[in-house]
């Protein structure tokens, strides 16, 4: 086995500027961990885009290799749960944040982060889903834990054409929900309808600028990737008893609301954190992602690129231009 592999490496120069390069690395330089995995596919997430530009809220120390999602084959394992040749995936925990990530030929990680590839998914499909799909899945899982069901009415999804958003739209539709997909992209209508959205609306539909604490209910639940006034609107426009899952901040990390959605309408605000979602429940959600929630047209959500082509998608993601999921096919 060659010990040399290619990896995206982010470096910081003396003036504090960050640079992205593909370099050669040695397996011996990877961090400690029980499981060494040869990466076949990785996927791009918003956090990776931030880490790739030197965002110290995501990655404290550079040089660094981003990539919070990786899928591949076990090459070495010091843990009996995994053996050479097993197909596995790793999403989130600290992968790609302060641990060298999956935009590389190999990763070495603690066994507690590793999920066996669920039956019903290929390695490539698992990365089309990736952290974005897991997060959307956690959203649906938590909504349903609070009693959400399709007969209560539509579920709204913000940032719908993005990674989490598109997976949420497809998954909710597959689970039988009417989906209101909100997008700022003029050309996202067909893409979102093909995923199963029953209605595609402009971002302004979920951006109430009145100062009213409650507005006429327009959805029975929601999954929000935007934050800020979008999240505040989703709360005040939700039907009584509904739930709103919050996972993102592409619009703003702030939330200005009153308590009225909670104390008058009984709305539940649900936090969605995929990074530390417990392994037992994570496996349950992955099994649903591989079966009852698996999108019929999963491949249509993905753009496939090579490690060398990834740079332009990182730039596009930071501008909010990426549609669906970007999956990196590694050289084997
Ligand atoms: N909590 C978690 O565990 C978790 C996991 C994964 C991601 N996230 C977070 O979820 C968010 C989305 O991640 P992603 O991977 O889906 O990113 P993404 O693929 O870049 O999608 C974000 C989408 O949001 C919309 N958008 C972008 N800028 C906006 C703005 N200024 N105002 C309103 N909408 C805007 C765009 O969709 P439209 O053009 O269709 O509106 C864009 O495609 C990020 O904040 C990410 O950090 C959290």
């Amino acid at each position: 086995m060659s010990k040399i592999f290619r990896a995206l490496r982010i470096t910081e120069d003396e003036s504090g500027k960050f640079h992205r390069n593909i370099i050669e690395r040695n397996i011996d330089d990877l961090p400690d961990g029980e499981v060494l995995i040869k990466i076949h596919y990785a996927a791009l997430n918003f956090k990776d885009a931030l880490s790739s530009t030197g965002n110290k809220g995501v990655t404290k120390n550079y040089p660094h290799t981003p990539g919070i999602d990786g899928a591949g084959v076990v090459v070495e394992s010091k843990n009996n749960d995994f053996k050479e040749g097993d197909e596995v995936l790793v999403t989130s925990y600290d992968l790609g944040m302060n641990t060298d990530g999956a935009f590389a030929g190999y990763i070495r990680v603690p066994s507690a982060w590793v999920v066996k590839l669920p039956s019903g998914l290929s390695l490539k499909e698992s990365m089309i889903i990736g952290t974005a799909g897991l997060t959307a899945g956690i959203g649906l899982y938590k909504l349903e834990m609070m009693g959400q069901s399709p007969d209560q009415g539509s579920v709204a999804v913000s940032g719908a054409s993005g990674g989490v958003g598109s997976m949420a739209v497809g998954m909710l539709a597959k689970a039988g929900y009417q989906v209101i997909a909100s997008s700022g992209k003029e050309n996202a209508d067909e893409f979102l309808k093909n995923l199963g959205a029953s209605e595609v609306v402009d971002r302004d539909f979920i951006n109430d600028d009145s100062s009213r604490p409650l507005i006429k209910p327009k959805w029975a639940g929601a999954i929000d990737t935007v934050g800020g006034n979008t999240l505040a609107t989703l709360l005040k426009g939700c039907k009584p008893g509904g739930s709103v899952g919050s996972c993102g901040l592409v619009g703003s990390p702030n939330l200005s609301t009153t308590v009225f959605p909670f104390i008058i309408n009984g709305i539940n605000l649900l936090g969605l954190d995929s990074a530390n979602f417990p392994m037992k429940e994570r496996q349950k959600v992955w099994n649903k992602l591989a079966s009852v929630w698996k999108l019929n047209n999963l491949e249509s959500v993905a753009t496939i690129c090579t490690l060398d082509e990834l740079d332009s998608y990182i730039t596009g993601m930071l501008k909010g231009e990426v549609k669906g999921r970007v999956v990196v096919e590694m050289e084997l």
Side-chain angles (χ1 to χ4, degrees), residues 45-46 131 135 159-165 182-185 203 225-226 247-251 272-275 317 320 322 324:
N45 293 276
F46 195 71
T131 286
T135 307
S161 76
V164 178
S182 151
S183 178
K185 294 189 185 73
R203 280 181 198 165
T225 67
V226 175
C247 74
L249 45 70
V250 286
L272 311 178
D273 169 26
S274 62
M317 181 163 270
V322 166

Side-chain angles (χ1 to χ4, degrees), residues 197-270:
S198 27
E199 204 182 330
V200 178
V201 296
D202 186 80
R203 280 181 198 165
D204 283 347
F205 188 74
I206 309 182
N207 191 16
D208 178 68
D209 55 11
S210 74
S211 50
R212 281 176 294 161
L214 295 171
I215 56 174
K216 190 175 162 212
K218 294 179 184 151
W219 41 81
I223 294 180
D224 177 52
T225 67
V226 175
N229 196 49
T230 302
L231 178 54
T233 305
L234 287 168
L235 291 168
K236 61 178 160 178
C238 189
K239 285 186 184 169
S243 297
V244 177
S246 160
C247 74
L249 45 70
V250 286
S252 165
N254 300 323
L255 173 61
S256 172
T257 182
T258 67
V259 296
F260 291 112
F262 311 115
I263 66 172
I264 302 285
N265 283 343
I267 305 302
N268 308 301
L269 175 55
L270 308 176

Side-chain angles (χ1 to χ4, degrees), residues 99 110 127 144 238 243 297 331:
T99 300
M127 286 296 97
E144 292 194 337
C238 189
S243 297
N297 49 358
E331 288 161 5

Side-chain angles (χ1 to χ4, degrees), residues 2-329:
S2 166
K3 290 198 154 199
I4 303 297
F5 63 92
R6 296 177 81 228
L8 174 64
R9 203 72 176 150
I10 315 299
T11 50
E12 182 177 12
D13 69 21
E14 280 160 11
S15 68
K17 268 183 88 180
F18 290 87
H19 305 273
R20 307 200 276 264
N21 290 105
I22 308 286
I23 64 156
E24 290 198 333
R25 299 198 72 203
N26 191 310
I27 285 174
D28 295 339
D29 297 329
L30 285 171
D32 288 342
E34 292 107 23
V35 190
L36 177 68
I37 300 165
K38 182 169 176 59
I39 295 296
H40 289 215
Y41 294 94
L44 178 64
N45 293 276
F46 195 71
K47 252 185 200 170
D48 302 316
L50 294 177
S51 173
S52 298
T53 49
N55 184 307
K56 297 219 169 165
V58 177
T59 300
K60 288 191 192 72
N61 300 311
Y62 293 84
H64 173 66
T65 295
I68 66 169
D69 284 351
V73 173
V74 173
V75 175
E76 281 171 21
S77 172
K78 294 179 195 148
N79 180 294
N80 290 338
D81 290 342
F82 301 99
K83 60 176 189 323
E84 196 184 326
D86 281 351
E87 291 189 310
V88 294
L89 61 101
V90 182
T91 62
S92 51
Y93 292 103
D94 193 49
L95 184 69
M97 295 188 61
N98 290 293
T99 300
D100 282 334
F103 295 152
Y106 290 86
I107 57 171
R108 192 187 284 119
V109 292
S111 56
W113 298 359
V114 184
V115 173
K116 285 212 174 114
L117 185 72
S119 67
L121 286 185
S122 66
L123 288 171
K124 184 180 178 184
E125 287 174 330
S126 77
M127 286 296 97
I128 299 176
I129 296 170
T131 286
L134 178 67
T135 307
I138 293 169
L140 179 51
Y141 178 79
K142 283 195 149 184
L143 250 61
E144 292 194 337
M145 271 173 65
M146 299 310 296
Q148 198 84 39
S149 62
D151 59 326
Q152 289 165 352
S154 307
V155 172
V157 176
S158 60
S161 76
V164 178
S166 58
M167 291 305 301
V169 169
M171 216 174 282
L172 284 158
K174 182 82 194 278
Y177 290 85
Q178 298 281 308
V179 184
I180 303 172
S182 151
S183 178
K185 294 189 185 73
E186 280 173 12
N187 60 357
D189 203 88
E190 193 186 341
F191 174 73
L192 291 167
K193 288 264 171 72
N194 284 341
L195 283 174
S198 27
E199 204 182 330
V200 178
V201 296
D202 186 80
R203 280 181 198 165
D204 283 347
F205 188 74
I206 309 182
N207 191 16
D208 178 68
D209 55 11
S210 74
S211 50
R212 281 176 294 161
L214 295 171
I215 56 174
K216 190 175 162 212
K218 294 179 184 151
W219 41 81
I223 294 180
D224 177 52
T225 67
V226 175
N229 196 49
T230 302
L231 178 54
T233 305
L234 287 168
L235 291 168
K236 61 178 160 178
C238 189
K239 285 186 184 169
S243 297
V244 177
S246 160
C247 74
L249 45 70
V250 286
S252 165
N254 300 323
L255 173 61
S256 172
T257 182
T258 67
V259 296
F260 291 112
F262 311 115
I263 66 172
I264 302 285
N265 283 343
I267 305 302
N268 308 301
L269 175 55
L270 308 176
L272 311 178
D273 169 26
S274 62
N276 296 300
F277 193 60
M279 183 52 87
K280 217 170 152 192
E281 287 179 281
R282 181 180 291 251
Q283 274 161 342
K284 270 191 210 165
V285 172
W286 268 112
N287 288 338
K288 286 197 167 227
L289 293 169
S291 56
V292 284
W293 293 345
K294 184 176 173 186
L295 277 59
N296 299 332
N297 49 358
L298 190 56
E299 295 262 348
S300 73
V301 187
T303 303
I304 310 296
C305 72
T306 63
L307 191 59
D308 296 285
E309 291 163 343
L310 180 58
D311 193 79
S312 64
Y313 291 99
I314 292 172
T315 307
M317 181 163 270
L318 290 165
K319 291 186 191 157
E321 290 171 359
V322 166
K323 218 195 280 174
R325 296 279 291 151
V326 176
V327 171
V328 188
E329 188 164 18

